[in-house]
Amino acid sequence: MSIDNSIELAKIEGQIDVIRALYETKLITAVECESRLGTAVGQFVALYDAGAVDSKFNYDLALSISSAVDELSLKSYENRPDAEVFWTMRNVTKPGELLPDVEEVLARSRKIQDDAKLNEIRKDKELRVLVEGWHTCVDDDGYSTYNAEIEFEIGEGANTIQEALALVEKFQKETVDTNQNHYDGHDPLPGYYSPRLFTVYNPIGDPLFAGFWQYDKQAYVVPEPLTDAAYHELHDKKARLNKELPENQRADNYDTCRQIRDEIVQIELKLVTSDFWTTVNDYPGDEVIGDFTESVRKFNAQSVSVSVPSSSPVVHVVYEELSDSCFIEDSLDEAIKQMNFLTKVHKSSGHKYEVSVYEVPDDDKVLSMDSRRLKEYLDQSGNAKILFTNNEKHLSNANVHHNIHDVITEYNNSDGASNTTAPTLQSAGIKELFQPITILNEDTPVSGTALLEEEVMEADSGIHERAHMRTRLN
């Protein structure tokens, strides 16, 4: 409880009593009464929004102020149907209730105060970390759910890249723990949060680099600058998506628009991250940056650092021509579950995709590879054995490969038993968390805004050279 808040609320209550006395003795007109009352109510609202109603004592004061406002409003409204309706505590009362719930009001105030303290701490930090993802919410009917896109800052800020990445790791662990209470083993329940990406900003709001969450693993950072070919390819992809977006907006294709916006944001952040890679080594003595290469290597390595038994499968996913992702799974059982889910997602979204499952040796080098290097290993190494795939080229070149769709069908028909024609299945204990939420309510328009505004960049042959010329502002 803050005594200062109590004093400020009491001042407003006394101020309203004086205004009432002046009006009742006809020393001020109804118009002037309304004006002065409006000023007092404005101060009341500002205190409430700042979390001043933080104790039972202050809650009672707030109710007393609200009653006084209602009473004086009625007196000054006589013969004035156009008089202003002022905010009071009744505006936060739930339908069917006479008074707002005291515990909910106090909890809200405490959170506001905690957030204010956190923002003060963040102001003195060199880096800020924002997370964007999907939050499962209850629809108005009280039964069905929908997914809202939300973005928020995590942690107290950071003074080094290492501290910023540590904030992401801490957020990951806390979210996993929280999500266990909002997941029934098949579907996310209200309160489930599925993070999609994070961005590290400098104090003036410039994005430095970003990371992207894989399906049920930690986030990863693009491990090195993009090649010029990949850089231009992303620009071309972004240009095509920007042309498709207005067409789908006119057709009210909400889910398609959301997917396009998601891809545009991810492209922009990959380009920003690539630019950061090209400039970061210009500041080797900067304590904020530190050894960026080593920090990213360690951060990416922990995303595949789970204990994996010998000859474990690797799930290899390719989304169109844009990006590659590789995942280490504990068993073939988990690999098929992942494939089952991905197949449903991409059938509903209409995206073209390729999926293959490999068997890889129990090698520390393999397990510590980032997504890009792991993909190269799978494509080139003779030690990686493909088990099943939906890649038509692979299937036509080797009849011994199982089609992933056949494996999934037989797996589902057997209720996940180990008697399918796929390689012997083993049970696994990896928690199915951070399941991406991509199937949205078709009738619900996309909410939120893109993380970055549209950036117009010229795709010339020296695209990386211009990154070296950027002035670092933090």
Side-chain angles (χ1 to χ4, degrees):
M1 170 182 171
S2 171
I3 296 177
D4 290 339
N5 289 334
S6 302
I7 293 174
E8 293 302 318
L9 289 169
K11 286 180 180 178
I12 293 174
E13 184 179 34
Q15 185 179 353
I16 294 175
D17 286 340
V18 170
I19 296 172
R20 178 175 54 201
L22 290 172
Y23 179 67
E24 289 176 347
T25 56
K26 302 187 183 303
L27 293 176
I28 58 175
T29 64
V31 174
E32 186 176 356
C33 175
E34 182 180 339
S35 176
R36 292 181 179 275
L37 182 59
T39 300
V41 171
Q43 296 171 351
F44 178 41
V45 173
L47 282 171
Y48 179 82
D49 289 341
V53 187
D54 56 358
S55 66
K56 181 63 169 58
F57 182 83
N58 289 351
Y59 175 84
D60 291 338
L61 267 177
L63 292 182
S64 177
I65 292 172
S66 297
S67 297
V69 171
D70 287 336
E71 180 182 345
L72 185 52
S73 296
L74 288 174
K75 289 183 177 180
S76 63
Y77 284 177
E78 294 175 353
N79 302 318
R80 296 190 61 236
D82 59 337
E84 184 176 353
V85 177
F86 294 110
W87 185 94
T88 66
M89 291 291 284
R90 68 170 180 271
N91 292 80
V92 295
T93 301
K94 295 180 179 179
E97 297 181 357
L98 296 177
L99 298 174
D101 182 81
V102 60
E103 293 303 326
E104 290 183 3
V105 172
L106 299 187
R108 174 188 178 276
S109 295
R110 285 192 292 268
K111 184 178 186 308
I112 290 174
Q113 293 181 12
D114 290 342
D115 289 345
K117 293 177 183 177
L118 196 57
N119 284 329
E120 287 300 315
I121 296 174
R122 289 167 175 167
K123 288 179 180 179
D124 296 327
K125 297 299 179 71
E126 293 291 332
L127 304 171
R128 313 280 286 270
V129 184
L130 271 71
V131 170
E132 182 179 343
W134 295 93
H135 191 255
T136 304
C137 306
V138 181
D139 213 337
D140 292 338
D141 59 15
Y143 299 99
S144 58
T145 61
Y146 68 95
N147 299 295
E149 184 177 9
I150 62 173
E151 176 190 88
F152 54 90
E153 186 169 356
I154 61 173
E156 297 182 349
N159 284 321
T160 66
I161 295 293
Q162 293 77 9
E163 290 178 4
L165 294 176
L167 289 178
V168 178
E169 293 183 29
K170 183 173 182 286
F171 169 78
Q172 153 85 11
K173 294 176 183 177
E174 292 175 348
T175 305
V176 168
D177 292 339
T178 302
N179 280 347
Q180 292 185 67
N181 300 321
H182 304 288
Y183 189 68
D184 65 2
H186 300 283
D187 299 301
L189 303 175
Y192 188 99
Y193 186 70
S194 179
R196 188 167 63 93
L197 55 87
F198 72 89
T199 312
V200 176
Y201 290 85
N202 64 19
I204 63 174
D206 290 335
L208 300 182
F209 68 94
F212 307 87
W213 261 274
Q214 297 178 355
Y215 279 94
D216 62 348
K217 306 295 189 296
Q218 176 62 283
Y220 71 97
V221 178
V222 177
E224 61 186 29
L226 297 169
T227 64
D228 282 338
Y231 208 93
H232 291 306
E233 181 181 355
L234 287 179
H235 274 292
D236 293 341
K237 176 74 174 179
K238 178 181 170 184
R240 292 197 300 271
L241 292 173
N242 279 323
K243 290 181 180 179
E244 294 176 12
L245 185 58
E247 298 174 1
N248 285 280
Q249 287 174 328
R250 287 191 291 270
D252 292 334
N253 295 330
Y254 299 125
D255 192 50
T256 302
C257 288
R258 179 195 61 77
Q259 293 172 16
I260 292 175
R261 290 190 186 97
D262 285 352
E263 289 194 62
I264 291 175
V265 169
Q266 293 204 32
I267 289 173
E268 289 173 335
L269 290 178
K270 286 182 179 180
L271 296 176
V272 166
T273 303
S274 182
D275 279 352
F276 188 68
W277 269 110
T278 62
T279 60
V280 68
N281 290 329
D282 294 341
Y283 309 96
D286 195 322
E287 294 181 358
V288 175
I289 303 302
D291 190 340
F292 185 66
T293 302
E294 180 65 13
S295 299
V296 170
R297 186 193 68 78
K298 290 182 179 179
F299 181 79
N300 287 347
Q302 52 80 44
S303 68
V304 290
S305 62
V306 294
S307 176
V308 182
S310 178
S311 299
S312 296
V314 172
V315 180
H316 174 209
V317 187
V318 181
Y319 301 95
E320 301 181 332
E321 75 274 17
L322 178 60
S323 62
D324 303 313
S325 299
C326 298
F327 313 107
I328 297 289
E329 296 292 355
D330 263 359
S331 69
L332 285 173
D333 191 18
E334 290 299 318
I336 295 178
K337 287 180 181 178
Q338 186 73 280
M339 293 304 92
N340 205 349
F341 175 74
L342 291 172
T343 299
K344 293 177 181 178
V345 167
H346 288 284
K347 278 186 176 180
S348 64
S349 67
H351 284 189
K352 297 178 181 179
Y353 74 108
E354 295 178 1
V355 178
S356 301
V357 175
Y358 293 80
E359 190 176 50
V360 297
D362 185 9
D363 187 332
D364 289 341
K365 291 183 178 179
V366 174
L367 302 184
S368 63
M369 289 179 180
D370 58 62
S371 183
R372 181 188 61 80
R373 291 174 59 210
L374 185 55
K375 178 186 181 300
E376 292 176 353
Y377 173 84
L378 295 174
D379 291 341
Q380 301 171 9
S381 174
N383 294 326
K385 175 185 176 183
I386 189 169
L387 300 179
F388 41 92
T389 181
N390 72 339
N391 184 304
E392 295 297 332
K393 183 177 180 181
H394 287 169
L395 288 171
S396 62
N397 290 341
N399 293 328
V400 296
H401 298 159
H402 296 275
N403 189 314
I404 183 65
H405 299 293
D406 297 333
V407 173
I408 289 175
T409 299
E410 295 181 19
Y411 180 78
N412 289 338
N413 290 341
S414 64
D415 294 324
S418 59
N419 59 352
T420 71
T421 57
T424 303
L425 305 177
Q426 302 172 0
S427 62
I430 287 185
K431 298 174 182 176
E432 297 179 6
L433 297 171
F434 284 173
Q435 181 177 351
I437 305 170
T438 56
I439 314 302
L440 298 180
N441 186 338
E442 291 287 346
D443 297 327
T444 304
V446 64
S447 62
T449 57
L451 187 60
L452 300 177
E453 293 182 359
E454 176 64 17
E455 180 183 5
V456 179
M457 293 185 283
E458 296 180 359
D460 52 50
S461 58
I463 202 159
H464 287 301
E465 281 72 10
R466 72 171 177 79
H468 285 284
M469 301 302 294
R470 292 186 357 181
T471 301
R472 186 166 178 270
L473 299 176
N474 66 327

